[in-house]
Amino acid sequence: MRLSNFFLPVLKETPSEAEIISHQLMMRSGMISQSSSGIYSWLPLGLKVLKKIENIVRDEQNKAGVNEILMPTIQPADLWKESGRYDDYGKEMLRIQDRQEREMLYGPTNEEQVTDIFRRSIKSYKDLPTLLYHIQWKFRDELRPRFGVMRGREFLMKDAYSFDLDHDECKKSYYKFFISYLKTFRRMGLKAIPMAAETGPIGGDLSHEFVIISETGESDIYFDKRILSEDSKIEDVAYDNDLEQVVQQYNNYYTASDEKFDQTEFDNNVAKDQQTKSKGIEVGHIFSFGTKYSEAMKANVLTSEGKQAYVHMGSYGIGISRLVGAIIESSHDTKGIIWPNVVSPFDIGLINLKSSDEKINNICNDIYSNLLNENVDVLYDDKKDNPGVKFSKMDLIGLPLQMIIGNKTIETNEVEIKYRKSGEVKYIKVENLPNFVQEIKKSSAI
Ligand code: ATP
Ligand code: MG
């Protein structure tokens, strides 16, 4: 993409309403544009990152054997009356009426909708477990929308649901999602701590929040610091392994978010010098809640003994739009964002320092088309701005690698390569550039 064609409305000033760094950087780098409180449009740069995160989440759900579906954003109130949550949910739910004056709502979550799909189609234990997920916009009329996309009113969530014959089977599904979440966050370069959590109004007995440590996090978290170095080679764990054992390795360490925290338990389980209290951002949440919805909504199956049994369910969420902000919170410096390669909006930023010079333009055009031929997603700054503007813009938007072409390239026949994260600079002869590109592609340096 040529920057001259790319819609990148960067801001010079930090918007005063943006309290935390991720919100400031997302606004400054033109990733989002506010529509109303807690509701945003996603502009090209932001949308590319959102899609990359979405695709990692999707890929890991598919690998775990979960089926992708797409449920509507608008749901009938009747389903929520059946489960009893229509009244319980309160003011966070956006309630609407259609022209027939039927009560509808904009989905804040989908337990009811998915249970309805399940009960219409699955009648026998032989079809269990059933694992379904979708990636869809949610609306919750949060009391205090803030921190940009971190606590929005409209936000993108991956929510999955499991249906099993009994509690033991349900636990197996729960472990599967537990492992898939560790894999998902690891792939994004995040260290997410699974924290024992309160099950809240949703009920049940198994619940973990996945939290990343960040000063700007909204929840207080308490944990045994050794969990940070727990590495059970999560990317290699196959789903047909004994997953309970892997989950147990994490559960051996005391962890708790604020609602569940108990000081005496903390002291009894964790030596003082291993006790850590911090702030965290919740990026995922998994629950198992037994037959709460299946009983209320009559979702039952025929067992092998020919009896009817209510299915045991779990639900599993990941905040996809929140992750965009959370990744920035954990990866930035004073100049701007530093994207982990896998979620970066482009692989390489190509900077033409003198677009009035025909020779330099020719070199840049060659490099640009070669990179495109190699399927490298490159943002080519071909604009007429001065070098200072170009450098600070490229640093702000945080692409992992920059290639800089200017007068020096003509003199020395060398391209300057700058790594955004380390600041490391090196020079490569123009004719050696194709080899260099092959190397960095292989080593996943981009
Ligand atoms: P929180 O405790 O942050 O309010 P929650 O417990 O209400 O979140 P869940 O119902 O567990 O959230 O939703 C699953 C995931 O969706 C959360 O882990 C979070 O990453 C994301 N999420 C929830 N609410 C919001 C929001 N208002 N804006 C952006 N993402 C959100
Ligand atoms: Mg939660």
Side-chain angles (χ1 to χ4, degrees):
M1 172 65 77
R2 284 174 184 270
L3 191 59
S4 55
N5 292 331
F6 193 56
F7 181 59
L8 184 70
V10 295
L11 303 178
K12 283 213 183 71
E13 305 293 323
T14 300
S16 58
E17 75 277 9
E19 294 170 65
I20 62 169
I21 191 75
S22 57
H23 189 193
Q24 293 169 0
L25 289 172
M26 286 183 77
M27 297 296 293
R28 276 186 50 209
S29 61
M31 291 176 67
I32 48 171
S33 165
Q34 186 170 3
S35 165
S36 65
S37 171
I39 304 181
Y40 294 87
S41 299
W42 290 78
L43 307 185
L45 193 75
L47 186 60
K48 286 194 87 169
V49 177
L50 188 71
K51 293 274 173 208
K52 287 214 164 169
I53 294 174
E54 181 181 326
N55 282 333
I56 292 176
V57 171
R58 172 176 288 116
D59 189 48
E60 289 298 335
Q61 293 295 285
N62 293 345
K63 282 182 178 154
V66 194
N67 296 270
E68 183 167 13
I69 60 174
L70 185 59
M71 291 179 269
T73 53
I74 308 289
Q75 303 177 21
D78 285 348
L79 287 178
W80 288 68
K81 288 183 179 162
E82 261 189 80
S83 74
R85 277 209 295 182
Y86 193 59
D87 294 327
D88 291 351
Y89 218 93
K91 289 194 167 167
E92 270 193 18
M93 183 188 275
L94 181 66
R95 295 155 206 262
I96 42 192
Q97 268 189 0
D98 68 11
R99 66 200 299 168
Q100 321 290 352
E101 296 181 4
R102 272 189 292 253
E103 291 172 289
M104 313 288 282
L105 57 99
Y106 196 115
T109 176
N110 285 59
E111 281 81 5
E112 285 79 357
Q113 184 73 71
V114 79
T115 304
D116 185 50
I117 295 172
F118 176 88
R119 69 180 174 187
R120 286 163 188 256
S121 2
I122 303 285
K123 307 284 180 201
S124 160
Y125 75 98
K126 289 180 196 153
D127 294 322
L128 300 180
T130 297
L131 307 179
L132 304 171
Y133 78 97
H134 79 157
I135 295 173
Q136 180 62 289
W137 293 91
K138 306 289 186 291
F139 191 91
R140 294 181 187 174
D141 203 352
E142 299 271 355
L143 187 60
R144 280 191 69 200
R146 58 187 185 147
F147 302 157
V149 299
M150 297 270 242
R151 183 162 299 283
R153 292 197 297 163
E154 191 181 49
F155 58 96
L156 189 60
M157 196 206 281
K158 184 285 298 181
D159 40 324
Y161 304 89
S162 64
F163 300 86
D164 281 286
L165 186 59
D166 55 32
H167 183 69
D168 278 351
E169 288 297 309
C170 182
K171 255 169 60 182
K172 287 188 198 156
S173 294
Y174 185 87
Y175 296 146
K176 208 176 225 187
F177 281 99
F178 190 108
I179 302 294
S180 79
Y181 277 32
L182 290 174
K183 287 177 188 265
T184 304
F185 298 125
R186 171 82 53 97
R187 251 177 90 174
M188 292 173 196
L190 292 172
K191 196 141 207 143
I193 309 174
M195 299 245 151
E198 211 58 82
T199 44
I202 209 158
D205 60 357
L206 272 175
S207 175
H208 284 87
E209 289 171 352
F210 289 76
V211 176
I212 58 174
I213 299 173
S214 165
E215 283 160 30
T216 51
E218 290 184 284
S219 32
D220 288 320
I221 53 174
Y222 303 82
F223 58 94
D224 183 334
K225 101 170 159 221
R226 290 172 301 175
I227 197 171
L228 294 174
S229 35
E230 174 61 52
D231 181 15
S232 25
K233 292 244 171 349
I234 208 69
E235 46 279 80
D236 299 335
V237 174
Y239 287 105
D240 49 11
N241 281 3
D242 177 7
L243 301 182
E244 179 160 17
Q245 212 187 334
V246 186
V247 171
Q248 198 49 45
Q249 272 170 261
Y250 288 85
N251 280 343
N252 282 339
Y253 302 102
Y254 181 91
T255 60
S257 54
D258 32 14
E259 317 105 36
K260 189 147 185 159
F261 178 65
D262 182 309
Q263 186 69 53
T264 320
E265 226 185 302
F266 200 27
D267 291 336
N268 289 342
N269 285 288
V270 189
K272 271 271 182 261
D273 61 335
Q274 310 283 4
Q275 292 186 357
T276 309
K277 175 178 188 244
S278 175
K279 293 266 180 206
I281 302 170
E282 180 193 318
V283 287
H285 197 161
I286 59 179
F287 303 95
S288 157
F289 43 77
T291 56
K292 181 179 156 95
Y293 296 96
S294 57
E295 280 190 43
M297 297 182 67
K298 306 205 169 38
N300 43 312
V301 293
L302 202 62
T303 69
S304 56
E305 285 104 47
K307 294 192 182 119
Q308 289 292 336
Y310 292 119
V311 286
H312 287 246
M313 291 174 59
S315 74
Y316 314 87
I318 290 183
I320 293 182
S321 49
R322 178 179 287 183
L323 270 166
V324 180
I327 290 173
I328 297 174
E329 286 295 326
S330 71
S331 188
H332 65 268
D333 63 11
T334 51
K335 294 180 189 145
I337 304 168
I338 303 172
W339 290 115
N341 304 344
V342 288
V343 299
S344 180
F346 293 93
D347 302 319
I348 291 182
L350 174 64
I351 304 178
N352 180 339
L353 290 178
K354 209 171 179 192
S355 46
S356 55
D357 185 310
E358 211 182 305
K359 264 194 195 156
I360 293 179
N361 278 342
N362 288 338
I363 297 175
C364 284
N365 285 336
D366 272 359
I367 296 175
Y368 179 59
S369 49
N370 286 336
L371 286 171
L372 292 181
N373 285 338
E374 287 295 329
N375 283 325
V376 175
D377 196 10
V378 50
L379 181 63
Y380 171 25
D381 185 350
D382 57 345
K383 292 180 73 170
K384 298 225 152 44
D385 299 326
N386 69 47
V389 170
K390 292 189 176 220
F391 289 138
S392 53
K393 191 181 285 176
M394 221 31 115
D395 282 347
L396 174 67
I397 67 171
L399 312 182
L401 195 144
Q402 301 171 8
M403 286 185 177
I404 302 158
I405 319 287
N407 281 333
K408 262 177 58 198
T409 315
I410 306 279
E411 289 160 24
T412 61
N413 196 34
E414 282 177 340
V415 175
E416 183 179 334
I417 307 286
K418 194 178 120 187
Y419 292 89
R420 175 67 181 86
K421 187 170 180 185
S422 62
E424 185 200 340
V425 170
K426 62 179 173 193
Y427 296 88
I428 306 277
K429 292 270 180 226
V430 174
E431 60 270 24
N432 291 337
L433 214 51
N435 277 342
F436 173 74
V437 172
Q438 292 306 326
E439 268 170 44
I440 52 177
K441 271 174 74 176
K442 257 190 244 147
S443 68
S444 6
I446 53 167

